[in-house]
Amino acid sequence: MKDSFGSVFNLTLLFAFILVVSGFVLFGVNYYKAFQVKNNLLTLIEKYEGNVNNDKFKEKVESLVNRVGYHPGQSAIASLQNKSENYWTCIDEEGWCYSYINKSRWKDGQETRYYDVVTFVSTDIPLVNRIMGAFKFFQVTGRTKPIIIRK
């Protein structure tokens, strides 16, 4: 009888270890997806000079999201939109948000603009979303190089 209790305890520890290691691996894969989408979005925004309403820009972003397999939950986006800082514009279907900051005006009417982009690490475990969904640890942020807006 003593051996059966010992083996149950050992099996429980083994399964817990497997769950923890699998969780880290899955989190790492999802973090990599969010990081890759963020970097490509910054590159595309710089390429299209901040014109996020361009049809070609939207097509490239949609194909990027589908190619990478990036589909975060809506709870992360909702937590960003519910904060007091409501300057984020979120693309709910694709799971990313952006904002821009005007930094300076030049004599000839040009201004420098920086775009901030936020992507989210997908955690579809309900308990984890409730406890740790608001942490910035589950968000990947980045900023573009200065973009000169011509008028």
Side-chain angles (χ1 to χ4, degrees), residues 42-102:
L42 292 176
T43 303
L44 285 172
I45 289 173
E46 289 171 359
K47 180 180 177 181
Y48 285 95
E49 296 179 345
N51 188 3
V52 295
N53 296 323
N54 189 337
D55 290 334
K56 288 185 180 181
F57 173 82
K58 290 179 181 181
E59 289 174 13
K60 288 189 178 189
V61 170
E62 186 177 339
S63 69
L64 166 71
V65 167
N66 291 331
R67 180 177 41 97
V68 172
Y70 171 74
H71 303 289
Q74 295 296 324
S75 61
I77 298 171
S79 70
L80 182 68
Q81 289 175 333
N82 290 337
K83 289 185 179 179
S84 61
E85 311 155 345
N86 288 331
Y87 56 89
W88 291 102
T89 304
C90 294
I91 313 299
D92 293 334
E93 304 85 31
E94 295 166 357
W96 62 282
C97 301
Y98 71 94
S99 69
Y100 62 88
I101 302 166
N102 293 331

Side-chain angles (χ1 to χ4, degrees), residues 8 59 75 116 118 145:
V8 167
E59 289 174 13
S75 61
D116 291 329
V118 175
K145 296 175 185 175

Side-chain angles (χ1 to χ4, degrees), residues 13-50:
L13 284 178
L14 178 68
F15 287 136
F17 178 75
I18 289 172
L19 284 174
V20 168
V21 169
S22 299
F24 279 124
V25 168
L26 290 174
F27 182 79
V29 167
N30 288 328
Y31 189 83
Y32 175 73
K33 286 179 184 181
F35 194 79
Q36 184 178 10
V37 168
K38 186 257 319 172
N39 284 343
N40 287 325
L41 283 171
L42 292 176
T43 303
L44 285 172
I45 289 173
E46 289 171 359
K47 180 180 177 181
Y48 285 95
E49 296 179 345

